[in-house]
Each structure stands twice: as C-alpha cells, then as structure tokens.
Amino acid sequence: MRGRASKELPGWLSGAIVAGVAVCLVGLELSRGLRNRKREPKLVRDARNLALAAGAGLVMQLIEKPFAMRLAGRVERNELGLVPTLARSHAARAMLSVILLDYGLYVWHVLTHKVPQLWRFHLVHHIDLDLDTSTAVRFHFGEMLLSIPWRLAQIRLVGASPLAVSIWQMFLLASILFHHSNVRLPLPVRIERVLSFIIMTPRLHGTHHEARREHANANWSSGFTIWDLLHGTYKWREAQGTIGVPVYQEIEDVTLPRCVVLPFEPQVEEWDVSA
Ligand SMILES: [Zn+2]
C-alpha cells in the first residue's frame, strides 16, 4: 500500500453535514430544552461565542489544517504509525484511526483540566454561564494554538491518513455540537443512559460543565464514551446543576474582552466557592 496518499473528504460535504447537524440542534433547542436556566440573553451569548469561535476557527484553518494534512499525507505514503501495522484495508485503517484519534483527544481534554498552563485557556470554554450548541465552538484561540503539536503527534503516532483525519474532524465537530447542545433527547432516560455508554450525550456532558470540581473532572470523552468508562471517569447524573465555574458566575466575569484576556491574567482558585 506504500505510495499515494488518500484525499480528504471534500470541504463542501463535511461542511454541509456539520451545518445540517447544527441547524437541527438549534431547532430542537427551541422545543426540547434540557436545562431551563437562562442567565444571559441568548443573542448576546451567541454573538460572544461565535466571536471566540471565529478566532479558534482561523487558527485551525490557517495553521492546524495545512500542517495536519501535510503530515497525514506523509504518514500515509510511508505507512508510518500504529494503524498500518494493525490493519490492511483502507476502510479498517480509517475506522481504527478515528477511534484512536478520539482517544488522543480524551487524553488532551484531561490535560487541559490538569495542567495549569492549559487550564487557563480551557477555562474560557467552561465559564459560559449557559450550555448549548454555541458553547461547542467557544474556544480561546490560544487553546487551539496549544493543541496543534498534540494533534500532529496524534496523527504521527496513530498513522492517520488525510481521509481518516478529515472523517474524524467531521465526526468530532458533529459530536461536540450534539453533546454541548441543550437538547432533551426523545428517549426514556434509562435508554438515554444506555446510549451514554456508547457516545457522549448532552446530559452526560452537561455534568462536565457543572460548577462543581468533582463533576467537571468527569465525562471528558468527545466522541465515544468508552474512554471515560475505561478510565473510571464516567459520571451519570440525571439532574443538571449550575453551569460554569464557581468564581465566574457573574455576567461581568464572562464578557468577550474578559474571555480574551483571562488566560494571560494571574489565575485565581476557580473552585473555591461552592456552587
Ligand atoms: Zn472540559
């Protein structure tokens, strides 16, 4: 199989699928809300979250993507990494790559909570006072910049092709839109719980965004929840508590300028105040 690199998914196709998922979720949020509490006007929050998303998206498109795809092409042409040693067919390699890249992101998410220099950036994602589809794309551009070396290491170690990377990115984006959404699934809660053993659901990820340290230190998976189950970090709670981080519970704490400068300021003990 040594030779040519695969092509990534056409941008229009992954873009259309992700946009379709986003439109469906925003529609469902209007009729099937999971969490009732709205602490800020929706349009103000959406505008702020989209402004942060624009910075993060620029970093990903202009810096991460060219490096990632060039590396993935070289990795595939030279059969580098783990996957070529485990599978022969393109389909099996792509599937295995998606699973292993998903695990790499679980580890990265844990690190963004545990390493203070990373947490100060990931904190910007967590201080949103409500949680919905717009939170899914609300990341500080610095967190995206810091994640690039990790992403490249993932691709190199896994041995992911351009096609596999693009499938994973589409799956990941659809998944993070889904599990951040404020949508009550049309399922009995016990069936929803079974589903949450397979994929990250809005209720399960809602627990990760609660203003309690022991809840934020759980449910780190971004796609498949097997990683939380294997690491003992899966935490099921039917109820949804206060969203955010305890010391950033006022609207003045989470304005756009505050969000942009927050990682560069002296950090406080965020979890001091009990929610
Ligand atoms: Zn987190």
Side-chain angles (χ1 to χ4, degrees), residues 109-110 112-113 119 122-123 125-126 139 143 180 205 208-209 216-220:
H109 192 186
V110 174
T112 61
H113 279 251
W119 169 245
H122 188 57
L123 176 63
H125 174 65
H126 272 267
F139 286 94
E143 181 173 353
H180 286 90
H205 200 67
H208 177 71
H209 275 265
N217 284 341
N219 304 344
W220 272 302

Side-chain angles (χ1 to χ4, degrees), residues 42-57:
K42 172 99 176 100
L43 283 179
V44 174
R45 264 191 68 247
D46 283 353
R48 181 190 308 127
N49 289 353
L50 290 176
L52 287 164

Side-chain angles (χ1 to χ4, degrees), residues 193-241:
R193 184 161 191 201
V194 174
L195 180 66
S196 79
F197 289 137
I198 303 165
I199 57 165
M200 185 54 71
T201 64
R203 193 186 299 273
L204 198 60
H205 200 67
T207 299
H208 177 71
H209 275 265
E210 282 184 24
R212 289 178 63 176
R213 192 201 295 263
E214 68 270 31
H215 292 177
N217 284 341
N219 304 344
W220 272 302
S221 300
S222 295
F224 303 112
T225 43
I226 187 170
W227 318 122
D228 278 304
L229 292 164
L230 287 174
H231 287 278
T233 52
Y234 171 97
K235 187 189 277 287
W236 172 263
R237 270 170 40 83
E238 194 177 324
Q240 298 284 290

Side-chain angles (χ1 to χ4, degrees), residues 12-34:
W12 65 265
L13 178 64
S14 43
I17 292 172
V18 169
V21 169
V23 167
C24 290
L25 291 169
V26 170
L28 286 168
E29 282 177 338
L30 297 173
S31 57
R32 303 191 52 87
L34 173 64

